[in-house]
Structures are given as structure tokens and as C-alpha cells.
Amino acid sequence: MLLTGLLLGAALGFAMQRGRFCVTGAFRDVFVARSTRWLTAFLIVIAIQAVGIAAMQGMGVIGAAYKPLALPATVIGALIFGFAIVLAGGCATGTYYRSGEGLVGSWFALIFYALSAAVMKYGVLGDFTSWARGITVPATTIHETLGVSSWFLVAALGGGVLYLVHRHLSVRTLKVATLPPRRTGLAHLLFERPWGAFSTAVVIGVIAILAWPLSTATGREAGLGITTPSANAATFLVTGDAELVDWGVLLVVGILIGSFIAAKGAGEFRVRVPDATTTVRSIVGGVGMGVGAALAGGCTIGNAMVATAQFSYQGWLSFAFMLLGTGVATKIFVLRGPRTAARSRVPATAGV
């Protein structure tokens, strides 16, 4: 059953690479392009998964245990993580699938993300992380606080997402001329035809649902997760402890394999070496991602995609503060740079 993690991870990596599904880009577009199209796609994944989780919990397929909210650690960690993903050029899964495409900068970000997460969870900073995560408030899920069935929240979220999708689809877009297809049939659909944001989100939402029963069958009662598996993989490579290699570790390995297959099949794989500045930012961003995700209890997948579908406070608070952290970093590193460069090109005027 452990191999299902590898297969599902490969499917996830393939879908994310072909659909260019990048959570960092979705968050950043809100501040750069004032566009919520990819953010809406992210919400589609959450809504689809929420239906699956509520149904599986109702049938007793998966449990419904939640830990108290580690409020300070979640907020601070999410802010750090959101800021760091802009430096790294991608979130946890984005870094994995871009590594599969041959981006060396993402290799650096991924390595330091996994190492720093391992240090925060199992290394010299493990006690600090446990202490920070131990400061909690008595709150777990939104529906528990309201005293209602989670299906009410599922319905509300689904209705809101459908409205957003309708708004985006009702906007007319210009058709772009394309070259005649070189492939036919399944090969054309998988490797050549562009994947839309919303259709990619539906595929990822289904994959996220499947992760729950497949992972639970191996004794790991959780859905998609990237940070702990990455930390486990790094610790295994250092210590050789085979017990760390679980369903989640095979999942993240599968993401690399699936994204490589997708990039290679689409002719998009190419080893690209970054400049010195990008390399340093990738390393710093990777470290920040590991530190932030460990404190927050998850990354943009474990928290902002999975825990939100469970309507946990940790998930939605992380979502909000990761978005805020991304916005701050975008203002500093993306928006301010072009403006500063533009001002430097304006000639000084005498006497002014």
C-alpha cells in the first residue's frame, strides 16, 4: 500500500506541472495583477476536498480528530512561510514540480526547505518548535464552535466558489492563435493541449480526496502533506532510519517523478542555472519555508489546502497569513524593484 503514495504523488506532480498550478503565483497575482483567477482555482481544490472529507468522515472512512489551535506559532509561521515562498520562487509543491522541470534554483530551495524543516522538527530546534506549538487556545474547527454540521460550511463554501467561477467564466477572453497540434489522442490531451486553471483544480481536488483513504490504509491518517514528509526524507538521508520512509515520503518523491515525466513529455524539461542573486534568494527562501511551515504546522498544502477543507482554524488562519506574507514580500521584491529601476532611469532636472 505504500506504493500508492508514489503513484498518487506522480499524478499530483504531473497535474501541477501540466496545469502550471503554483500557489505562490496564485497568491502573488492578487497583488501584482489584481487577478483572483488562480486563487479561485485554489479555492476549487479546497471546496472539492471539503465534500470528500465530510462524506468520508460521515461514513467512518477517516477520523475527525483535531488538535487545539497553536495560535501564535500558526500566525507567525504562516507569515514567515508566505514571505519565504516569494524568495524561493514557489511554495512546497511548486518547488517540487519546478525541480522536476530542471530549475536548479528550485533544487536549492527544496534542499534547504527539507533540511530546515528537519532541524525544526527533529533537530536542535525541535524543542523550540514543540514549545511554540504547545501554546494553544481551546479552538479546533469552525463548525465545532458554531455547533453545526460541517455540511453547512461545505455548502456555503461550495456556493461561494461556484459564484466566483461563474464570474471568471462569464468574462470574455480573446482567443490566441496556436500552432497546429503535432500529436493526437491522449498524447495531445496530456502533453500538448494547455490545461486550464479550473480543470487542473478539479483534477488536484480529486487527487486530494484519494490521498485520505490511501494514506489511512497505511496507518498515516492524513491527506496530502509536504513539510513533514520532506523533513522525514531529509532525516532518513542523514540517519538511514528506514522507519521514516512512509506513505508521505513516497508521495513527495512521486511529485518529482510525475513533474519530470510531464515536463519531459511536453518538451519543457531543461536544466536552468540561476544567477547568484536568485541562488541566494532560493536558499534563504527554502530555509524560511521550512521554519515557517514547521511553526505553522503545515505549508500551503497541509494547512491552506487540506486543513481548510476540514474547516480548522489552523487552516484558515494559515491561509490568511500566508497570503499576507506573500503580499508583503511581493511589495518588497517584485513591485518595488521595477519602480526603483524606473525612477533611476528618469534624468535629473536642473534647478528642481
Side-chain angles (χ1 to χ4, degrees):
M1 290 299 291
L2 283 178
L3 287 178
T4 61
L6 188 68
L7 295 174
L8 196 76
L12 179 61
F14 190 99
M16 286 192 152
Q17 197 284 328
R18 291 298 299 124
R20 314 306 303 170
F21 195 93
C22 177
V23 183
T24 303
F27 288 3
R28 194 171 49 209
D29 281 355
V30 175
F31 304 97
V32 175
R34 304 295 187 219
S35 171
T36 59
R37 185 176 186 83
W38 279 103
L39 187 64
T40 300
F42 189 69
L43 291 171
I44 291 173
V45 178
I46 297 173
I48 290 175
Q49 191 181 186
V51 174
I53 289 175
M56 287 186 289
Q57 287 179 343
M59 294 184 293
V61 176
I62 61 175
Y66 303 97
K67 295 180 180 179
L69 172 64
L71 182 59
T74 297
V75 170
I76 295 171
L79 273 172
I80 294 172
F81 187 88
F83 191 95
I85 61 178
V86 174
L87 292 174
C91 66
T93 47
T95 301
Y96 268 95
Y97 92 68
R98 285 198 170 98
S99 294
E101 291 179 339
L103 271 69
V104 177
S106 293
W107 297 359
F108 283 113
L110 179 57
I111 290 169
F112 281 90
Y113 161 57
L115 288 174
S116 60
V119 170
M120 290 293 292
K121 284 179 170 290
Y122 310 124
V124 294
L125 294 177
D127 289 340
F128 169 75
T129 303
S130 297
W131 169 79
R133 296 284 306 162
I135 303 173
T136 62
V137 296
T140 53
T141 64
I142 299 171
H143 50 280
E144 184 179 84
T145 299
L146 297 177
V148 299
S149 168
S150 63
W151 281 109
F152 285 99
L153 299 182
V154 171
L157 176 62
V161 170
L162 285 174
Y163 169 73
L164 291 174
V165 170
H166 172 72
R167 283 194 60 185
H168 282 288
L169 293 180
S170 62
V171 176
R172 289 186 176 181
T173 57
L174 295 174
K175 290 186 177 181
V176 180
T178 58
L179 295 173
R182 295 173 298 169
R183 302 174 179 178
T184 59
L186 188 60
H188 170 69
L189 293 175
L190 292 178
F191 296 107
E192 192 173 25
R193 182 176 178 178
W195 287 33
F198 298 162
S199 57
T200 302
V202 171
V203 173
I204 295 174
V206 173
I207 291 173
I209 291 174
L210 292 174
W212 283 94
L214 293 176
S215 177
T216 300
T218 67
R220 176 187 175 272
E221 192 166 338
L224 294 177
I226 307 298
T227 300
T228 298
S230 298
N232 287 347
T235 306
F236 163 72
L237 292 175
V238 173
T239 65
D241 186 358
E243 292 186 1
L244 292 167
V245 181
D246 61 0
W247 190 93
V249 171
L250 293 182
L251 174 80
V252 295
V253 173
I255 295 174
L256 283 172
I257 295 172
S259 60
F260 171 76
I261 293 172
K264 197 70 175 175
E268 296 173 353
F269 177 84
R270 183 165 56 90
V271 176
R272 284 155 282 184
V273 180
D275 58 26
T277 300
T278 303
T279 299
V280 171
R281 285 189 178 183
S282 297
I283 292 172
V284 174
V287 172
M289 285 167 58
V291 171
L295 286 174
C299 62
T300 41
I301 299 300
N303 267 343
M305 181 186 289
V306 175
T308 48
Q310 298 172 288
F311 299 102
S312 78
Y313 286 107
Q314 176 175 299
W316 286 101
L317 275 173
S318 293
F319 190 167
F321 281 94
M322 284 176 184
L323 183 62
L324 177 60
T326 299
V328 172
T330 299
K331 295 285 186 182
I332 296 173
F333 297 106
V334 179
L335 297 179
R336 182 175 294 179
R339 292 173 184 172
T340 303
R343 285 196 296 268
S344 67
R345 289 194 295 268
V346 177
T349 303
V352 176

